[in-house]
């Protein structure tokens, strides 16, 4: 390759990077990095006991999480560089692929079972949790779906039928794993998108009531879900069996008081608190960093959700409906998952198998959350560029 050919390409690449650096939402990027960094520190502390028991050394899970961070950064970069027009055109193929994964994991011999649930597909040394992939792809599909049918939805319920059919298929496949927590977050997120897209209030309230009744029936028809609900109401009635997880979590939170017992000094993570490095990481954080640390984490997630909703609102006002709905969906989904995880750790909600996004141990959650946040920043990037180019155009001369 000649020098004359190389220089323009190099200048174009540097110019693209400068443009991205100028348009990127730096407060949002700083918040994401802060959450991930704090998650690595807390996950390393919370996983010491279980890592030594597994025979991989005290930093075994931290090393694996750092390896997961490499594809997560790559997924974030892909999401940041992927044009929304291309993503919208891929919405239907991504939906089909997500549903295919949900079917594939249920095939005997393909899916991996753990704690009575079949949610993972083993790929060599890693296990892919298919619900994390499917939830993002479903969100992309429904953002594109409402971009096409949103105007009709404001005056007619006709577009609801294909959307509810797709959501129903996904719900059946998620319940077959079973993964009730992921289904609840997905339904709430998609419901939020329908409301933002302009669904009539009475119709929205009616569908919300139907979803609530269906959720209650699912809880009362399943012995283990009902057991979790009764344990949540009074965990101290059986603190060594059905209420064990919640009581140990509450003990961890109570020990933290204002400023915590100190980083690395948690007692509950030493085989008292189950899943300390995944589902109950927030309880370990509360024990070691206290109320102050909890407040910082809650503030970081609150800022992330607020920023996502702000990006979504600005995109909708600019007429960029697909990007706006996608940004709202990402913010609602991540915010709901974080809220449910923290609520479970604090005894405000029944126990669910949902991790704290970007902080808990797990490659699938980390990679897909990073991809979603990359798309969120792409929405903001395109909206800013479109606004700048529109303001740079000369005003039209009157006829």
């Amino acid at each position: 390759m000649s020098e004359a050919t190389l220089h323009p390409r190099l200048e174009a690449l540097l110019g693209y990077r400068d443009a991205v650096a100028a348009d990127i939402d730096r407060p949002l990027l700083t918040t994401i990095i802060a959450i991930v960094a704090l998650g690595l520190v807390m996950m390393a502390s919370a996983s010491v006991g279980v890592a030594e028991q597994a025979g991989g050394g005290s930093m075994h899970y931290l090393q694996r999480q750092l390896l997961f961070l490499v594809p997560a950064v790559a997924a974030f970069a892909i999401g940041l560089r992927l044009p929304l027009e291309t993503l919208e055109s891929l919405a239907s193929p991504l939906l089909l692929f997500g549903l295919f994964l949900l079917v594939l994991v249920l095939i005997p011999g393909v899916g991996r079972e753990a704690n009575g649930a079949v949610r993972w597909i083993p790929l060599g040394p890693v296990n892919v949790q298919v619900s994390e992939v499917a939830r993002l792809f479903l969100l992309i599909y429904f953002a594109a779906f409402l971009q096409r049918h949103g105007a009709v939805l404001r005056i007619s319920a006709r577009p609801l039928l294909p959307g509810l059919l797709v959501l129903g298929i996904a719900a059946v496949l998620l319940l077959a794993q079973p993964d009730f927590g992921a289904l609840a977050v997905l339904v709430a997120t998609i419901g939020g998108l329908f409301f933002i897209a302009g669904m009539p209030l009475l119709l929205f309230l009616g569908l919300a009531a139907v979803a609530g009744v269906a959720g209650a029936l699912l809880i009362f028809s399943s012995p283990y879900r009902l057991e979790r609900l009764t344990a949540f109401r009074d965990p101290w009635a059986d603190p060594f069996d059905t209420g064990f997880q919640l009581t140990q979590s509450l003990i961890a939170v109570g020990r933290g008081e204002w400023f915590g017992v100190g980083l690395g000094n948690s007692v509950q993570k030493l085989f008292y608190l189950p899943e300390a490095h995944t589902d109950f990481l927030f309880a370990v954080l509360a024990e070691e960093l206290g109320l102050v640390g909890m407040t910082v984490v809650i503030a970081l997630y609150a800022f992330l959700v607020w920023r996502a909703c702000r990006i979504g609102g600005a995109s909708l006002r600019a007429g960029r409906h697909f990007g706006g709905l996608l940004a709202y969906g990402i913010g609602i989904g991540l915010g709901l998952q974080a809220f449910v995880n923290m609520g479970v750790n604090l005894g405000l909600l029944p126990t669910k198998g949902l991790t704290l996004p970007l902080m808990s141990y797990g490659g699938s959650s980390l990679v897909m959350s990073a991809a979603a946040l990359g798309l969120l920043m792409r929405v903001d990037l395109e909206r800013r560029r479109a606004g700048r180019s529109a303001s740079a155009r000369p005003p039209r001369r009157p006829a």
Side-chain angles (χ1 to χ4, degrees), residues 66-250:
L66 288 173
L67 290 177
F68 294 147
L69 195 60
V70 176
V73 172
F76 179 87
I78 292 171
L80 183 60
R81 298 198 58 170
L82 184 64
L84 293 181
E85 184 179 356
T86 302
L87 182 66
E88 186 177 358
S89 66
L90 293 174
S92 294
L94 290 176
L95 168 70
L96 294 176
F97 181 67
L99 295 178
F100 168 73
L101 290 178
L102 292 177
V103 173
L104 185 64
V105 75
L106 298 175
I107 298 176
V110 177
R112 176 179 174 269
E113 182 178 353
N115 298 326
V118 184
R119 303 175 185 173
W120 300 269
I121 294 178
L123 293 178
V126 299
N127 297 306
V128 178
Q129 188 172 355
V130 295
S131 63
E132 296 286 349
V133 182
R135 279 164 53 196
L136 178 59
F137 290 171
L138 280 161
L139 177 59
I140 294 170
Y141 170 79
F142 275 101
F145 175 83
L146 292 171
Q147 150 78 5
R148 297 191 302 270
H149 303 290
V152 180
L153 182 65
R154 296 186 183 95
I155 57 175
S156 171
R158 202 181 327 168
L160 274 177
L161 298 178
L164 292 179
L165 177 62
V166 170
L167 189 58
I169 294 172
V172 171
L173 294 174
L174 285 170
L175 288 174
Q177 297 183 10
D179 197 346
F180 183 76
L183 174 60
V185 172
L186 175 65
V187 170
T189 303
I190 301 304
L193 287 189
F194 273 94
F195 179 76
I196 293 168
M199 175 187 287
L201 181 59
L202 289 178
L203 181 59
F204 174 78
L205 293 176
L207 289 176
V210 171
V213 171
L217 291 175
L218 287 172
I219 291 173
F220 286 99
S221 64
S222 174
Y224 87 93
R225 293 193 191 107
L226 185 59
E227 184 179 89
R228 285 185 172 184
L229 181 61
T230 54
F232 158 72
R233 292 176 57 190
D234 187 7
W236 302 102
D238 193 0
F240 299 106
D241 189 8
T242 57
F244 183 75
Q245 289 180 314
L246 186 51
T247 54
Q248 297 302 317
S249 179
L250 293 175

Side-chain angles (χ1 to χ4, degrees), residues 172-392:
V172 171
L173 294 174
L174 285 170
L175 288 174
Q177 297 183 10
D179 197 346
F180 183 76
L183 174 60
V185 172
L186 175 65
V187 170
T189 303
I190 301 304
L193 287 189
F194 273 94
F195 179 76
I196 293 168
M199 175 187 287
L201 181 59
L202 289 178
L203 181 59
F204 174 78
L205 293 176
L207 289 176
V210 171
V213 171
L217 291 175
L218 287 172
I219 291 173
F220 286 99
S221 64
S222 174
Y224 87 93
R225 293 193 191 107
L226 185 59
E227 184 179 89
R228 285 185 172 184
L229 181 61
T230 54
F232 158 72
R233 292 176 57 190
D234 187 7
W236 302 102
D238 193 0
F240 299 106
D241 189 8
T242 57
F244 183 75
Q245 289 180 314
L246 186 51
T247 54
Q248 297 302 317
S249 179
L250 293 175
I251 291 171
V253 173
R255 289 191 74 242
E257 297 184 354
W258 285 97
F259 300 102
V261 297
L263 185 63
N265 293 329
S266 168
V267 173
Q268 294 302 110
K269 69 184 180 184
L270 301 177
F271 309 109
Y272 292 99
L273 187 61
E275 309 295 338
H277 61 306
T278 54
D279 296 357
F280 287 92
L281 180 70
F282 189 72
V284 177
L285 183 145
E287 184 181 3
E288 295 189 349
L289 302 183
L291 180 63
V292 173
M294 292 168 54
T295 303
V296 169
V297 172
I298 293 172
L300 288 172
Y301 279 106
F303 180 82
L304 190 152
V305 173
W306 172 78
R307 204 72 172 183
C309 293
R310 186 170 179 267
I311 291 170
S315 297
L316 290 180
R317 288 191 294 272
R320 308 180 65 83
H321 296 97
F322 172 71
L325 291 169
L326 183 61
Y328 268 117
I330 292 170
I332 294 171
L334 287 175
L336 277 176
Q337 184 171 339
F339 172 77
V340 171
N341 178 273
M342 294 177 188
V344 168
N345 280 249
L346 296 174
L348 302 176
L349 295 172
T351 305
K352 301 305 305 172
L354 287 175
T355 58
L356 192 58
L358 299 176
M359 291 187 68
S360 294
Y361 174 77
S364 300
S365 176
L366 180 63
V367 172
M368 299 314 298
S369 297
L373 290 169
L375 293 175
L376 173 63
M377 300 199 76
R378 178 70 194 189
V379 172
D380 187 49
L381 194 70
E382 291 196 10
R383 194 263 311 168
R384 293 187 187 210
R385 290 176 176 175
R388 188 167 58 247
S389 61
S391 62

